[in-house]
């Protein structure tokens, strides 16, 4: 039997990940006919059907499940080799991918990132504005070149919990307060007891079904649906709605400096004070560009968080 081509295995992994040819094509950056052709070639080479086709999508057969299990192991081994090699990279050059939440990118990261770019012109930083930290240890099947594609080198995460397999530093706390539009009729304009705000004020809340963040849980426990005027999904959207004067909302205190049109109407809420972490994979922490970024940008962010504390 001819030697299997890893690129064909990537196509199988992408189909299994997305459940359809169209999804796999999007992941791999090709058209769906290319995906189908590569799958047909792989099945012909193996002499086995790897996926059952139906209106619901592509489901692995028993042979397909066995192939996918081995392919995932190969991908993990390739990722480990790549990370270990990158971890010995001593040069302050190359690409560095950082993932973070949109609110951190807009309100905390621009200044420190610009300073880092000036000080380290040989390092190209790519920022992914993502509310959920991607897996720093595993590459996805959507890579279009090489064995797989690195998702992130460094993550800035606003969370009370971090994955145990990652390493890094806690930069500081991100406390939250309730804010209102300055001068808005019918809204409080000075610090007000939180129980009174929860009972009497109109609110801009988060998604009804949100369950992943401490802010979602807090609102479900303390805020009656009858007090909610609008629901949004992220802090930046909450700030935009605050400027309409429709209600009050919870924001991290580090947003305050960029929004002088808003006024804090509560004390910091202890349950909503969340740490900000800077994290990487253990195999990458000795890479020169990762180490430089975590120290240079991390130190500046830690100072900003301390300065923004109420």
């Amino acid at each position: 039997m001819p030697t299997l081509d890893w690129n064909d295995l990537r196509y199988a992994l992408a189909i299994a990940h997305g459940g359809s040819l169209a999804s796999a094509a999007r992941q791999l950056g090709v058209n769906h006919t290319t995906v189908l052709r590569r799958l047909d070639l792989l099945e012909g080479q193996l002499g086995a059907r790897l996926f059952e086709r139906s209106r619901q999508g592509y489901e692995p057969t028993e042979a397909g499940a066995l192939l996918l299990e081995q392919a995932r192991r190969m991908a993990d081994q390739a990722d480990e080799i790549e990370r270990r090699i990158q971890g010995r990279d001593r040069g302050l050059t190359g690409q560095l991918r950082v993932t973070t939440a949109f609110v951190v990118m807009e309100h905390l990261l621009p200044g420190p990132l610009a300073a880092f770019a000036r000080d380290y012109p040989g390092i190209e930083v790519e920022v992914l504005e993502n509310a959920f930290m991607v897996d720093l240890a595993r590459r996805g099947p959507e890579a279009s070149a090489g064995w797989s594609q690195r998702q992130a080198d460094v993550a800035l995460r606003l969370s009370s919990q971090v994955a145990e397999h990652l390493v890094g530093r806690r930069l500081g706390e991100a406390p939250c307060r309730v804010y209102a539009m300055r001068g808005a009729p019918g809204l409080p304009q000075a610090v007000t007891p939180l129980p009174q705000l929860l009972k009497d004020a109109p609110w801009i809340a988060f998604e009804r079904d949100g369950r992943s963040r401490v802010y979602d849980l807090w609102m479900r426990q303390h805020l009656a649906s009858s007090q909610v005027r609008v629901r949004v999904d992220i802090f930046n959207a909450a700030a935009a709605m605050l400027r309409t004067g429709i209600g009050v909302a919870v924001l991290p205190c580090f947003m305050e400096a960029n929004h002088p049109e808003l006024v804090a109407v509560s004390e910091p809420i202890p349950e909503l004070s969340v740490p900000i972490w800077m994290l990487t994979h253990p195999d990458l922490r000795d890479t020169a560009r990762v180490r430089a970024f975590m120290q240079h940008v991390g130190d500046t962010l830690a100072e900003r968080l301390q300065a923004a504390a109420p």
Side-chain angles (χ1 to χ4, degrees):
M1 183 179 69
T3 303
L4 289 176
D5 185 340
W6 166 251
N7 285 324
D8 290 336
L9 297 182
R10 289 195 304 109
Y11 280 81
L13 285 171
I15 294 170
H17 182 265
S20 70
L21 297 181
S23 177
R26 287 193 296 270
Q27 293 172 34
L28 295 165
V30 299
N31 59 55
H32 77 281
T33 57
T34 300
V35 178
L36 179 58
R37 178 173 56 83
R38 297 297 286 266
L39 176 60
D40 288 342
L41 287 173
L42 182 59
E43 290 183 329
Q45 185 178 2
L46 294 172
R49 194 173 184 83
L50 301 177
F51 292 92
E52 294 292 350
R53 286 76 159 169
S54 70
R55 291 183 178 180
Q56 285 71 41
Y58 278 56
E59 288 291 330
T61 62
E62 184 176 348
L66 177 61
L67 177 87
L68 292 168
E69 179 183 357
Q70 298 302 318
R72 290 188 182 104
R73 290 180 182 177
M74 291 172 64
D76 288 341
Q77 290 169 357
D79 291 342
E80 183 176 359
I81 292 170
E82 188 179 347
R83 286 197 309 270
R84 288 183 180 276
I85 292 173
Q86 290 175 343
R88 285 158 174 77
D89 179 4
R90 303 298 177 182
L92 290 170
T93 59
Q95 295 181 336
L96 182 77
R97 182 172 286 188
V98 179
T99 181
T100 190
F102 191 93
V103 67
V104 174
M105 178 62 234
E106 181 171 354
H107 295 280
L108 289 176
L109 194 53
L113 182 57
F116 180 82
R118 285 190 290 267
D119 290 346
Y120 297 92
I123 301 176
E124 178 186 317
V125 181
E126 179 182 3
V127 180
L128 304 175
E129 295 171 347
N130 192 333
F132 302 96
M133 188 174 69
V134 298
D135 189 346
L136 297 175
R138 185 184 180 93
R139 276 72 160 166
E142 63 274 18
S144 58
W147 279 34
S148 56
Q149 183 177 10
R150 177 163 38 90
Q151 289 184 302
D153 298 299
V154 177
L156 277 167
R157 189 179 184 188
L158 194 67
S159 177
S160 56
Q161 297 180 337
V162 297
E164 293 182 358
H165 70 281
L166 300 178
V167 297
R169 55 189 292 200
R170 181 171 173 158
L171 301 178
E173 292 288 319
C176 289
R177 303 174 78 169
V178 180
Y179 291 85
M181 179 65 180
R182 196 178 298 274
L187 295 182
Q189 296 294 299
V191 172
T192 305
L194 188 57
Q196 183 177 338
L197 291 173
L198 290 166
K199 178 177 180 291
D200 298 331
W203 277 76
I204 301 159
F206 293 119
E207 297 171 284
R208 185 183 301 275
D209 298 327
R211 299 181 182 276
S212 61
R213 302 176 301 182
V214 64
Y215 320 104
D216 303 318
L217 178 62
W218 184 83
M219 286 192 174
R220 286 203 306 275
Q221 290 177 339
H222 295 91
L223 183 61
S225 295
S226 59
Q227 296 301 115
V228 176
R229 297 296 177 268
V230 178
R231 292 185 184 272
V232 296
D233 59 345
I234 59 175
F235 286 121
N236 293 68
M241 290 307 303
L242 278 170
R243 291 195 293 271
T244 70
I246 191 65
V248 302
V250 166
L251 296 178
C253 296
F254 63 70
M255 293 181 66
E256 189 172 316
N258 288 349
H259 291 285
E261 74 280 9
L262 303 181
V263 58
V265 296
S266 80
E267 298 291 350
I269 304 170
E271 305 97 303
L272 300 185
S273 183
V274 176
I276 293 185
W277 297 84
M278 181 173 279
L279 302 163
T280 189
H281 191 277
D283 291 341
L284 298 180
R285 61 181 166 185
D286 291 329
T287 304
R289 57 184 177 271
V290 171
R291 189 171 62 249
F293 183 89
M294 293 187 73
Q295 179 175 346
H296 188 290
V297 176
D299 288 350
T300 307
L301 287 176
E303 293 172 2
R304 290 195 168 205
L305 286 170
Q306 186 173 7

